[in-house]
Amino acid sequence: MAYLERRAAWERGAVLGASEAAHGNVDETIRLVSEGIGREACTPGFRGCPFINAAAEYADADHPVRKVVDEHRAWFRSMLQKLTASIGIDDPTVAEELMMLRDGAMVSGYLGNAEKVSAALLSASRAVIAAPRTDA
């Protein structure tokens, strides 16, 4: 749990740092986060997202490890919702889709190189953000 909490703090700092560096520009924030995820996921010795791995190891949703995982993922999803809301997208589904892309990029790191993973994540994220929406 301590490792996951430290990792969550590190990821939050990286995402918030990207947002600050982008000066509120959502596309630039997404680009910086995509680059960071690509670098991280393609680092030698990377064994996958620690939060996804921990969730697989601790299937019981009430386990304390899962609570740390769920809290961090909720924070990340909330950050994505705030980013997209800042450009007029109030659909929480968009944040869910971006979260899924992030998860896929973490897995792709095993199979690709940082530039390709970053570029694919950025391209897919831009497509999700630009996709037309209908009221359901």
Side-chain angles (χ1 to χ4, degrees):
M1 284 181 40
Y3 168 75
L4 290 174
E5 289 168 347
R6 283 192 310 275
R7 179 62 187 219
W10 178 83
E11 283 191 17
R12 289 174 186 168
V15 170
L16 292 173
S19 181
E20 285 179 20
H23 305 289
N25 181 302
V26 173
D27 188 67
E28 180 67 4
T29 300
I30 296 291
R31 185 187 68 75
L32 291 171
V33 170
S34 295
E35 286 178 359
I37 288 171
R39 271 193 313 275
E40 181 65 21
C42 296
T43 301
F46 182 76
R47 297 291 178 253
C49 172
F51 301 98
I52 295 171
N53 291 346
E57 291 290 323
Y58 295 90
D60 179 3
D62 293 326
H63 193 281
V65 167
R66 282 296 295 271
K67 295 209 183 289
V68 173
V69 169
D70 293 344
E71 287 172 11
H72 178 63
R73 290 180 63 80
W75 177 86
F76 200 94
R77 194 176 302 104
S78 172
M79 182 67 178
L80 292 170
Q81 284 178 304
K82 288 177 188 172
L83 276 174
T84 55
S86 74
I87 55 172
I89 300 172
D90 293 321
D91 182 354
T93 303
V94 174
E96 291 292 336
E97 291 170 354
L98 293 171
M99 190 75 174
M100 185 180 70
L101 292 173
R102 174 252 182 230
D103 292 346
M106 296 300 268
V107 173
S108 292
Y110 288 128
L111 308 171
N113 66 47
E115 294 80 23
K116 287 182 180 180
V117 170
S118 297
L121 177 56
L122 179 57
S123 175
S125 296
R126 284 175 171 162
V128 165
I129 289 169
R133 286 165 191 72
T134 59
D135 293 331

